Amino acid sequence: MAFLAEQLKRVKPSATIAVTDKARALKQAGRDVIGLGAGEPDFDTPDNIKQAAIKAIESGRAAKYTAVDGLAELKAAIARKFKRENQLDYKPAQIIVGTGGKQVLYNALMATLNPGDEVIIPAPFWVSYPDMVLLAGGTPVPVVGTMERGYKILPAQLEKAITPKTKWLMLNSPSNPTGAGYTREELKALAAVLVRHPHVHVMSDDMYEHLVYDDFEFFSPAQVEPALYERTLTVNGVSKAYCMTGWRIGYAGGPEPLIKAMAMIQSQSTSNPPAVSQWAAVEALDGPQDFIARHNKIFKERRDLCVSMLNQANGLSCPKPEGAFYVYPSCAGAIGKTAPSGKKIATDEEFVTELLECEGVAVVQGTPFGLGPAFRISYATKTEDLEEACRRIQRFCGNLK
Ligand SMILES: Cc1ncc(COP(=O)(O)O)c(C=O)c1O
């Protein structure tokens, strides 16, 4: 009898981690490698947030367990944030704090999915979504938003994907991996479909809410369609906008019975998220927000640099995304060509492997995100490195025969 659980056969390790590991190994071997794989800001946590954490440690408040579903002070700050930024009313009993948004999403799926339940996932998607659904016993149903449509799905596609077994639609705007953001009108049009199917719930992953550029305005589904409020879980966190990926704080607002069920899973698995990180998150949400605009100015310049340079590379085509810190160029024009090593490139995985080996640039192939041939670049990295990486990508594409 096998020792490891059967259900592990349904999932695979994250492709983003695999490429980061490969890049690290090359670096350790002395190669000059620029890593554009990681999905975290290159900026440090703002000082006022660090100071709040230090104060929590020194005053002894960080030493003890907190309530499993989060400190009352943090839940109050989250309720204020939802009201202030999303015009959403959530009482403390409708809010849960988890160890990262990832845990919140996972617990929501664990709390709701029965075998055979379907979860609609617009593709390209964050690599973890389908595997989380599989681990929770459900069936992922990808629906592709093509590059021509800005990597967004249409209402008719959503309508077609809904069956009596559909439990959730997982929406992520702005998106990892494409940066695509749904406008208010686009969300309204999707919501109109959902209104006709009251058994479908919405898991809105708003993790990149604050990272939007030009005049794009962020909206959350329950905000644009109040009829969805009762069946929407609005997920967010401090990792991306507040440069706190290592602190591991995410949260959600939603229907009270769902939040209670998620808290029960948390109580029997991880208990409360780290107290010190929760106090830091209170300061993140309540404290000054001005650094976000400063960071966004830099992110926008980097996005524009990538889009412009990648579109000048032979065989690549890169739409300009609304937000997050990713671009997602198609490499369809490079497939079938031969690299200087003599290797014929048949897939996006071979494209990124050759790119890493020839030019020392680490990006992630698109296929695991649900749409290829393409690749994801995270531009949350020093601008000089980014520019050099784009130059190397241009050279690599130029040398394909
Ligand atoms: C779309 C999306 N959702 C959720 C998360 C989870 O973030 P965290 O667990 O750090 O809060 C990430 C992180 O990469 C993400 O890209």
Side-chain angles (χ1 to χ4, degrees), residues 259-392:
I259 297 292
K260 233 190 198 152
M262 290 162 65
M264 192 179 58
I265 292 174
Q266 207 156 287
S267 78
Q268 299 294 24
S269 50
T270 56
S271 286
N272 63 276
V276 64
S277 300
Q278 292 192 66
W279 285 110
V282 172
E283 174 62 19
L285 296 179
D286 281 349
Q289 308 285 307
D290 51 318
F291 60 87
I292 295 177
R294 279 201 304 280
H295 291 172
N296 281 1
K297 187 167 171 285
I298 298 169
F299 280 142
K300 177 191 143 47
E301 284 165 11
R302 291 176 182 170
R303 177 202 62 173
D304 293 345
L305 175 84
C306 286
V307 169
S308 157
M309 289 186 76
L310 294 172
N311 277 321
Q312 290 168 47
N314 271 352
L316 300 189
S317 172
C318 184
K320 187 191 274 194
E322 290 83 6
F325 38 63
Y326 308 105
V327 290
Y328 198 76
S330 156
C331 58
I335 301 300
K337 295 197 171 165
T338 305
S341 64
K343 173 131 185 78
K344 197 162 170 149
I345 293 174
T347 62
D348 53 13
E349 185 172 0
E350 289 177 4
F351 178 91
V352 307
T353 304
E354 280 301 303
L355 176 64
L356 181 57
E357 273 161 24
C358 289
E359 294 286 354
V361 175
V363 299
V364 189
Q365 71 275 20
T367 299
F369 295 102
L371 182 64
F375 59 95
R376 186 192 78 170
I377 283 186
S378 161
Y379 55 82
T381 195
K382 274 208 314 256
T383 308
E384 306 87 87
D385 289 352
L386 201 59
E387 199 168 352
E388 171 60 17
C390 288
R391 257 197 302 272
R392 293 187 193 179

Side-chain angles (χ1 to χ4, degrees), residues 39 99-103 105 126 129 172 176 205 207-208 237 239-240 245 248-250 326:
T99 306
K102 204 168 199 172
Q103 188 191 25
L105 295 163
W126 183 35
Y129 288 163
N172 174 220
N176 178 4
D205 181 345
M207 201 55 70
Y208 294 93
S239 284
K240 313 288 174 168
T245 44
R248 311 307 305 128
I249 296 292
Y326 308 105

Side-chain angles (χ1 to χ4, degrees), residues 206-228:
D206 299 352
M207 201 55 70
Y208 294 93
E209 162 176 21
H210 291 292
L211 306 182
V212 293
Y213 314 114
D214 304 325
D215 44 14
F216 181 84
E217 251 189 283
F218 171 86
F219 290 95
S220 200
Q223 176 186 12
V224 304
E225 181 44 84
L228 294 180

Side-chain angles (χ1 to χ4, degrees), residues 95-177:
I95 291 172
I96 185 163
V97 184
T99 306
K102 204 168 199 172
Q103 188 191 25
V104 173
L105 295 163
Y106 184 67
N107 284 353
L109 294 168
M110 288 296 286
T112 54
L113 293 185
N114 292 311
D117 284 347
E118 295 173 2
V119 178
I120 296 175
I121 306 179
F125 41 69
W126 183 35
V127 275
S128 295
Y129 288 163
D131 292 277
M132 282 183 186
V133 169
L134 289 167
L135 274 175
T139 305
V141 178
V143 175
V144 174
T146 60
M147 183 175 75
E148 293 69 31
R149 297 196 198 113
Y151 298 122
K152 293 184 247 187
I153 64 162
L154 296 174
Q157 290 178 282
L158 174 60
E159 180 86 56
K160 210 168 142 211
I162 294 174
T163 75
K165 290 184 179 164
T166 308
K167 200 151 235 176
W168 290 102
L169 163 67
M170 289 181 93
L171 253 193
N172 174 220
S173 164
S175 141
N176 178 4

